[in-house]
């Protein structure tokens, strides 16, 4: 297999910007060579919040938003290459997650929708683009999420230790990496999304920096228990969720205005910690590696470590990959798997009827550093000693 560079793009439920990661793969080894957090204009963020919250949008506006996001993703790619002083001709492809505006895999029929036209990204950057990763899995009866567990296994599996990789973005999900190589995983519920919503209203900020506001409050026991009794949280895996369920309307269904606002923030932090911890305990993980924006929240990380003691709780930086860039790197890896004709989903995680090659390929016009298949069969799992 020839070494190759890929760019992964991720824009998640937090809507804080576009993560772009330049990743070099050489067999079972990986190097994060460059990264860029490309800001999201307030106008796009507001349009996304509106559509995600269920507001009506006409087809023309939806098409315009699809194009605007594609242009934003293209700017992120080109800015990354420019800042890293890397030629596009050395990059094999871009893996673009797109911006999820709807995800309901339990509907009849199941649906998911990500915006950010890959045709425009390919035209603007000249690079091949791999996108639309989720719908192949959904077509096979799966949840279409989470899709990162295969990459988590590639990056963090250890042959002598059962590990849980917890991604805390807008939503939170858990990947269980067994010593023998088996992989399980599912969404666990809200990550930062409810805390961010509450902080936006009461602090005028898009988040609670380091959870400092929450740290000054006390969880409301009855309210926390009522939230934890949500039917989605009681469901067995496979399961996935998003702002379609855990949103401002969900929060307002509880008596949140009858208590001190800071105590509500502490309760929402405790909800994230407890919903994650129950799933970790059920899985029997020996070590927990945390990635996503939640890994930067000191109050959240401390609470999670106390709740899961004596299990070690660390961010993924201690194991070779900055926690802010795991998801973007995952979509670089998924693009590599697709171009190598290797399946990217894991049926034990998503519930799909079989493994599948994910996404489609939109061709750019730049010469590529590596063409076609790499000739290696199947997903390889290279145990790491981190």
């Amino acid at each position: 297999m020839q070494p190759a560079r890929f760019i992964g793009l991720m824009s998640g439920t937090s809507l804080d910007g576009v993560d772009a990661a330049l990743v070099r793969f050489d067999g079972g080894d990986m190097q994060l060579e460059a990264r860029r957090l490309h800001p999201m204009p307030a106008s796009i963020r507001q349009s996304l919040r509106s559509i995600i919250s269920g507001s009506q949008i006409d087809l023309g506006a939806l098409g315009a938003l699809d194009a605007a996001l594609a242009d934003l993703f293209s700017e992120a790619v080109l800015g990354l290459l420019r800042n890293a002083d890397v030629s596009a001709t050395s990059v094999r492809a871009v893996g673009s997650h797109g911006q999820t505006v709807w995800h309901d895999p339990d509907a009849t029929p199941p649906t998911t929708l990500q915006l950010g036209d890959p045709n425009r990204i390919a035209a603007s950057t000249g690079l091949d683009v791999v996108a639309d990763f989720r719908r192949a899995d959904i077509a096979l009866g799966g949840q279409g999420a989470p899709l990162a567990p295969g990459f988590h296994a590639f990056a963090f599996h250890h042959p002598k230790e059962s590990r849980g990789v917890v991604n805390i973005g807008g939503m939170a999900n858990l990947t269980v990496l067994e010593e023998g190589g088996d992989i399980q995983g599912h969404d666990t519920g809200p990550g930062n999304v409810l805390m961010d919503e509450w902080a936006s209203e009461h602090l005028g900020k898009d988040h609670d920096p380091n959870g400092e506001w929450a740290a000054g409050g006390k969880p409301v026991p009855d309210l926390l228990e009522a939230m934890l009794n949500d039917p989605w949280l009681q469901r067995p895996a496979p399961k996935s969720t998003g702002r379609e369920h855990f949103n401002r309307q969900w929060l307002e269904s509880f008596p949140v205005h009858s208590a001190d606002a800071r105590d509500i923030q502490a309760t929402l932090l405790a909800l994230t910690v407890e919903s994650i911890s129950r799933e970790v305990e059920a899985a029997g993980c020996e070590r927990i590696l945390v990635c996503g924006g939640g890994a930067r929240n000191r109050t959240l990380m401390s609470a999670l470590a106390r709740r899961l003691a004596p299990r070690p709780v660390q961010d993924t930086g201690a194991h070779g990959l900055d926690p802010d860039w795991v998801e973007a790197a995952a979509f670089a890896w998924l693009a590599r798997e697709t171009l190598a004709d290797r399946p990217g989903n894991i049926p034990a995680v998503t519930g799909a009827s079989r493994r599948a090659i994910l996404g489609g390929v939109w061709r750019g016009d730049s010469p590529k550093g590596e063409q076609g298949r790499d000739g290696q069969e199947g997903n390889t799992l290279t145990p790491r000693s981190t």
Side-chain angles (χ1 to χ4, degrees), residues 102 104-111:
W102 185 255
D104 191 357
D106 300 314
T108 304
T111 54

Side-chain angles (χ1 to χ4, degrees), residues 186-273:
H186 57 276
D187 286 358
T188 63
N192 302 313
V193 64
L194 299 176
M195 290 185 284
D196 290 350
E197 288 278 355
W198 197 247
S200 176
E201 176 178 343
H202 293 276
L203 298 180
K205 302 177 180 179
D206 58 8
H207 69 290
D208 175 14
N210 285 316
E212 292 176 0
W213 191 46
K218 295 182 179 180
V220 182
D222 291 346
L223 179 59
L224 176 60
E225 190 60 31
M227 291 177 171
L228 287 166
N229 284 332
D230 179 86
W232 188 92
L233 294 174
Q234 310 306 314
R235 283 178 46 186
K239 60 181 181 178
S240 60
T241 191
R243 284 179 180 264
E244 298 75 26
H245 185 82
F246 293 104
N247 51 33
R248 186 51 188 264
Q249 290 73 30
W250 184 89
L251 187 55
E252 294 284 355
S253 71
F254 299 93
V256 292
H257 295 292
S258 62
D260 179 80
R262 180 173 285 190
D263 289 344
I264 297 300
Q265 186 75 350
T267 303
L268 295 175
L269 187 145
L271 171 65
T272 295
V273 169

Side-chain angles (χ1 to χ4, degrees), residues 12-100:
T13 52
S14 60
L15 306 179
D16 57 352
V18 181
D19 292 336
L22 177 66
V23 186
R24 185 178 187 273
F25 295 100
D26 187 358
D29 294 325
M30 171 188 67
Q31 180 182 359
L32 177 61
E33 293 189 322
R35 66 201 75 177
R36 176 181 175 83
L37 174 58
H38 192 77
M40 180 178 289
S43 58
I44 293 180
R45 184 183 300 112
Q46 182 55 44
S47 295
L48 288 170
R49 288 188 183 279
S50 179
I51 188 175
I52 290 170
S53 68
S55 298
Q56 295 292 320
I57 184 170
D58 65 46
L59 292 178
L62 184 66
L65 184 58
D66 186 39
L69 281 164
D71 293 342
L72 186 68
F73 297 155
S74 298
E75 291 168 7
V77 169
L78 295 173
L80 174 70
L81 293 173
R82 183 171 56 252
N83 291 351
D85 194 23
V86 170
S87 169
T89 59
S90 72
V91 176
R92 178 64 188 91
V94 174
S96 178
H97 171 267
Q99 177 64 59
T100 298

Side-chain angles (χ1 to χ4, degrees), residues 361-380:
V361 182
W362 285 258
R363 297 294 183 184
D365 58 10
S366 292
K368 306 302 185 295
E370 176 192 9
Q371 294 288 351
R373 303 179 186 182
D374 63 14
Q376 183 168 337
E377 297 180 0
N379 272 305
T380 59

